[in-house]
């Protein structure tokens, strides 16, 4: 199939491109490189430097490349920044996504895979979280994604656009020589590894008196290659005339922040100093996915569920790319 990957120069998008290429699909990447890296885009993919909100360009690309299905990874992803600058998030993540969808429909592309997030749930009422859990985001980032999910529901009814929303929990790890290199970095595993690299003095633990066994927050870490393989399954599902749906992607097992730091110490052999910091507003104590639906409907099983292997792959990438993509 001919697949459009919007945001394919970013962390999860670039790894997904590799999986799609290996499965024999043609991959066309659109990215404005505001956050992504040209070096992360496979030489086997067709690349267009363009904004997702440039409807005319998207239509032109879809028509010239005979696109069947679009996968949409492009977004701003910093929760804290979304609180300080919600306009930026609603513009890039929601309004431009609506413009992308309108362009796709005009180009007669009616299959869409969307990078959603666990942040659509907000503070969980029960864990593991199932897809029918109430949606109540605690920050504009989560809302910017939930609004898109609502648009997709309406566009399906009105215009026949079929979609799969993949709600990722905490992506981590590296694969195919591609790793996580965000500026600024706000994700736990790369920040811990930056301490191991000597690029940060210490790792902050936001809250040490949560209602969890060791008092630190619990998160569900999922290997980026496992997220990527779920996208391949979603492409296949939509090719079978399925109406699509929303699926959690996680391992269904939580690790505390302290456990993640301890595993990283073991993997890297470094001390990795940690300091306690105040809780951040809107941070849930536990975020753990039920991925039963993804397993049943998509036939997806994470291949690398073990956190030590996830962190080891990220560390290996950091050792081979000490400056991230800067040196490429
Ligand atoms: N990383 C995670 O743990 C995580 C968890 C849940 C959901 N997500 C979602 O997954 C997606 C990918 O995350 P990531 O960590 O790979 O992010 P990323 O920042 O590495 O990649 C996003 C890519 O989109 C591009 N982009 C942003 N705005 C654009 C625009 N207007 N036009 C064209 N390109 C644009 C960026 O240049 C970048 O290459 C995002 O939608 C994010 O919200 C990520």
């Amino acid at each position: 199939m001919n697949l459009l990957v919007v945001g394919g120069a970013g962390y999860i998008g670039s790894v997904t491109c590799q999986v799609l290429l290996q499965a024999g699909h043609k991959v066309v990447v659109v990215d404005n490189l505001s956050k992504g890296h040209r070096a992360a885009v496979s030489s086997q993919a067709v690349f267009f430097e363009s904004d997702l909100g440039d409807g005319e360009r998207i239509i032109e690309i879809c028509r010239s490349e005979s696109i069947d299905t679009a996968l949409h990874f492009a977004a701003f992803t910093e929760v804290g920044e979304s609180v300080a600058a919600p306009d930026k998030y609603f513009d890039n993540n929601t309004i431009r996504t609506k413009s992308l969808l309108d362009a796709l429909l005009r180009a007669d592309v009616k299959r869409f895979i969307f990078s959603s997030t666990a942040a659509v749930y907000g503070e969980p009422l029960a864990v593991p979280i199932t897809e029918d859990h109430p949606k109540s985001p605690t920050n504009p980032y989560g809302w910017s994604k939930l609004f898109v999910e609502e648009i997709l529901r309406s566009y399906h009814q009105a215009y026949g656009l079929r979609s799969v929303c993949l709600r990722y929990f905490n992506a981590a790890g590296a694969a195919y020589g591609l790793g996580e290199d965000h500026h600024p970095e706000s994700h736990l595993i790369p920040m811990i590894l930056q301490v191991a690299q000597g690029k940060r003095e210490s790792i902050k633990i936001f809250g040490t008196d949560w209602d969890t066994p060791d008092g630190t927050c619990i998160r569900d870490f999922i290997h980026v290659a496992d997220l990527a393989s779920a996208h391949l399954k979603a492409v296949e599902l939509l090719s079978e005339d399925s109406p699509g749906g929303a699926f959690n992607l996680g391992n269904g097992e939580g690790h505390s922040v302290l456990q993640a730091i301890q595993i990283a110490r073991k993997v890297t052999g470094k001390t990795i100093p940690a300091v306690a910091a105040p809780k951040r507003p809107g941070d849930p104590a536990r975020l753990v996915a039920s991925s039963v639906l993804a397993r049943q409907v998509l036939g997806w099983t994470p291949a690398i569920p073990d956190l030590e292997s996830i962190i080891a792959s990220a560390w290996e990438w950091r050792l081979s790319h000490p400056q991230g993509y800067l040196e490429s």
Side-chain angles (χ1 to χ4, degrees):
M1 265 184 281
N2 299 338
L3 307 175
L4 182 72
V5 181
V6 183
Y11 171 47
I12 304 167
S14 62
V15 174
T16 303
C17 286
Q18 294 286 344
V19 170
L20 300 173
L21 284 164
Q22 283 193 2
H25 295 293
K26 172 174 156 181
V27 170
V28 177
V29 171
V30 165
D31 199 299
N32 66 2
L33 300 180
S34 57
K35 298 284 179 183
H37 309 275
R38 183 66 183 85
V41 181
S42 164
S43 56
Q44 291 169 269
V46 182
F47 178 71
F48 292 96
E49 185 171 340
S50 172
D51 195 282
L52 72 98
D54 184 346
E56 293 307 319
R57 186 94 195 276
I58 298 288
I59 294 171
E60 195 185 296
I61 293 168
C62 287
R63 288 190 177 144
S64 66
E65 303 294 334
S66 306
I67 297 298
D68 307 295
T69 301
L71 297 92
H72 176 36
F73 296 88
F76 292 145
T77 64
E78 300 288 317
V79 170
E81 186 188 47
S82 83
V83 176
D87 57 331
K88 196 173 156 180
Y89 278 70
F90 290 126
D91 174 50
N92 203 42
N93 296 4
T94 311
I95 294 169
R96 286 181 206 222
T97 297
K98 182 203 163 281
S99 154
L100 170 70
L101 292 171
D102 293 341
L104 292 174
L105 285 173
R106 282 177 59 199
D108 209 25
V109 178
K110 293 194 167 181
R111 300 176 204 168
F112 189 76
I113 297 162
F114 177 55
S115 298
S116 192
T117 166
V120 299
Y121 296 112
E123 178 70 48
L125 304 174
V127 282
I129 302 169
T130 50
E131 286 79 358
D132 57 359
H133 183 285
K135 317 296 177 295
S136 184
T138 54
N139 51 64
Y141 167 68
W143 280 111
S144 75
K145 294 282 182 173
L146 187 57
F147 288 149
V148 172
E149 289 204 15
E150 288 301 327
I151 294 171
L152 289 171
R153 230 183 303 275
S154 308
Y155 274 34
H156 179 221
Q157 269 187 338
Y159 311 127
L161 180 88
R162 293 181 295 118
S163 65
V164 170
C165 295
L166 297 174
R167 298 180 185 142
Y168 315 155
F169 281 62
N170 288 64
Y176 306 101
L178 302 165
E180 189 165 11
D181 186 17
H182 292 122
H183 299 271
E185 190 55 79
S186 65
H187 293 132
L188 181 67
I189 303 291
M191 283 178 25
I192 293 174
L193 297 181
Q194 284 175 345
V195 180
Q197 278 182 300
K199 296 190 168 195
R200 261 174 215 271
E201 270 184 24
S202 59
I203 185 77
K204 282 187 185 154
I205 301 179
F206 296 105
T208 51
D209 59 350
W210 296 93
D211 182 18
T212 58
D214 66 20
T216 68
C217 285
I218 291 180
R219 295 291 178 266
D220 186 339
F221 298 95
I222 176 86
H223 198 289
V224 65
D226 284 329
L227 289 182
S229 72
H231 289 77
L232 181 60
K233 298 280 188 190
V235 167
E236 288 162 1
L237 185 77
L238 289 179
S239 74
E240 290 162 6
D241 280 347
S242 155
F247 303 95
N248 289 338
L249 298 181
N251 274 307
E253 201 194 329
H255 284 89
S256 74
V257 171
L258 202 57
Q259 282 174 321
I261 295 170
Q262 282 159 351
I263 293 172
R265 286 178 181 145
K266 181 178 166 205
V267 165
T268 63
K270 308 279 181 185
T271 319
I272 313 187
V275 293
K279 286 179 179 169
R280 294 179 298 191
D283 250 356
R286 289 168 198 260
L287 275 180
V288 178
S290 160
S291 292
V292 171
L293 202 62
R295 289 167 196 258
Q296 283 173 350
V297 179
L298 295 177
W300 171 77
T301 313
I304 316 166
D306 150 58
L307 186 56
E308 186 170 327
S309 305
I310 295 175
I311 293 180
S313 72
W315 180 237
E316 197 182 315
W317 188 79
R318 295 229 147 228
L319 290 177
S320 60
H321 297 74
Q323 304 300 324
Y325 285 104
L326 274 185
E327 68 265 29
S328 306

